[in-house]
Amino acid sequence: MSTRVGVVQFPGTNCELDVVWALERLGADARILWHGDATVHGVDAVVVPGGFAHGDYLRTGAIARFSPVMTAVGEFAAAGGPVVGICNGFQVLTEAGLLPGALQKNTGLTFLCRPVDLRVETSNSVLTAGVAPGTVLRIPINHFEGNYVCDADTLRRLRDEDRVVLRYVHNPNGSLDDIAGVASEQGNVVGLMPHPERASDPLLGSDDGVVLLESLLASARDSVAAG
Amino acid sequence: MMFSVRIDVTHLPGVLDPQGATVERALPALGYTNVTAVSIAKTIRLQIDAVSEDAARTQVEEMCGRLLANPVIERYRVELEELVAS
């Protein structure tokens, strides 16, 4: 049976179909999870995709975290299920307390939409389990609030516990310690600002995102096998 | 009792305020070369019906902690005033 991945859709989400498309090309059974449903419908992995959930009103991700589906996503994550937040999804996961820190406006005060080089820093996450540390991937970013920030203690913990998953080779947005993606303590929840689904075919300019999505699917299968 | 509430949400010290920094860089172009420490904040106004000022304040503090401000990057100040029917 193919791996079932739920892709969360809030009002204002706009990358859910791209994520579904990219995952289905890798053989997954990807389906949309409506934000108003308080369940993840028994999927093996969850992706919180990019966009502007609930208009990003108040702060990015601030309203989305109260959607019924997020309670279910929180329970799924607590049980060890793989959860990946991409861009706005990363912002939602930090607001929901599933990942530490926050995303603030880019230092240059400009919206950034271009490919960037990312260095994979650890294999210790569901998104990078199949990628050798040190690998450089070219994947697009598309954000205004991608400037990662957290307090000094949190940063120390992220480094000591090998939870900085991806770093920018050339920091585009002022992110603390060049951080582009972080993982939870168990490594099963990952948030990243770049969009792997937009680098999933050479026609899109890069297919460097495929190894990340494949890692997620493999982690989902392992997580199901582990029961 | 009805209270009028004003909540100022500002950046924590040390957190970048790119909007404030950009405005600070723009002001000298207009000749205001003596301006520093520009910051851009959010103001939230609301009215609340509570049994006392303390009760209203407690509830507003709770709202700030749970939704209105993000303690990782923001702090807030609450001003509260009783609305007297005229």
Side-chain angles (χ1 to χ4, degrees):
Chain A
M1 199 170 75
S2 50
T3 311
R4 293 161 303 174
V5 186
V7 182
V8 178
Q9 183 185 44
F10 301 101
T13 298
N14 61 18
C15 297
E16 70 277 28
L17 296 179
D18 306 42
V19 173
V20 165
W21 180 83
L23 289 171
E24 285 188 335
R25 279 166 45 102
L26 300 175
D29 167 9
R31 60 187 71 178
I32 299 290
L33 297 178
W34 179 239
H35 77 109
D37 292 349
T39 168
V40 297
H41 293 287
V43 295
D44 308 319
V46 171
V47 175
V48 187
F52 301 85
H54 293 274
D56 275 353
Y57 293 147
L58 191 62
R59 292 181 308 279
T60 56
I63 310 291
R65 67 170 275 222
F66 294 103
S67 284
V69 75
M70 286 310 297
T71 306
V73 170
E75 287 163 3
F76 179 76
V83 176
V84 171
I86 300 169
C87 196
N88 191 226
F90 185 11
Q91 296 159 345
V92 172
L93 295 181
T94 60
E95 281 284 341
L98 293 176
L99 289 171
L103 284 311
Q104 57 166 332
K105 282 202 170 58
N106 299 336
T107 306
L109 202 63
T110 48
F111 192 100
L112 297 171
C113 182
R114 57 183 165 87
V116 296
D117 288 334
L118 302 166
R119 194 171 54 247
V120 176
E121 300 288 16
T122 176
S123 301
N124 210 4
S125 86
V126 291
L127 194 66
T128 52
V131 192
T135 305
V136 173
L137 305 172
R138 195 161 180 78
I139 296 180
I141 53 169
N142 184 65
H143 62 244
F144 200 165
E145 286 94 354
N147 180 350
Y148 186 80
V149 62
C150 63
D151 62 40
D153 281 347
T154 305
L155 179 61
R156 198 172 310 121
R157 250 191 9 256
L158 287 174
R159 286 173 176 167
D160 292 350
E161 296 170 4
D162 198 22
R163 290 164 55 193
V164 177
V165 176
L166 298 162
R167 280 198 174 89
Y168 299 108
V169 174
H170 304 289
N171 193 335
N173 55 20
S175 269
L176 188 65
D177 201 23
D178 302 332
I179 288 174
V182 298
S184 62
E185 276 176 51
Q186 311 301 324
N188 66 308
V189 182
V190 178
L192 74 165
M193 289 313 296
H195 287 262
E197 79 279 10
R198 295 193 190 178
S200 56
D201 188 286
L203 273 179
L204 297 172
S206 166
D207 59 358
D208 285 2
V210 170
V211 286
L212 300 179
L213 300 176
E214 275 176 344
S215 289
L216 173 63
L217 295 178
S219 302
R221 285 192 292 272
D222 293 346
S223 151
V224 171
Chain B
M1 298 163 76
M2 282 299 284
F3 297 90
S4 166
V5 181
R6 174 193 162 125
I7 304 148
D8 285 310
V9 181
T10 55
H11 291 277
L12 274 177
V15 169
L16 286 172
D17 174 8
Q19 295 191 84
T22 303
V23 170
E24 187 166 323
R25 284 197 300 272
L27 286 170
L30 299 174
Y32 303 108
T33 53
N34 55 341
V35 178
T36 53
V38 177
S39 76
I40 294 186
K42 246 181 293 197
T43 300
I44 299 163
R45 293 171 193 275
L46 55 90
Q47 294 185 2
I48 187 166
D49 187 2
V51 291
S52 67
E53 180 169 337
D54 273 356
R57 191 172 286 278
T58 302
Q59 220 182 333
V60 171
E61 293 276 343
E62 194 183 302
M63 288 177 210
C64 289
R66 297 182 67 193
L67 173 64
L68 302 179
N70 180 340
V72 179
I73 48 173
E74 295 170 329
R75 61 179 171 187
Y76 59 87
R77 199 185 59 196
V78 176
E79 279 175 32
L80 201 137
E81 193 184 322
E82 188 180 350
L83 283 173
V84 183
S86 51

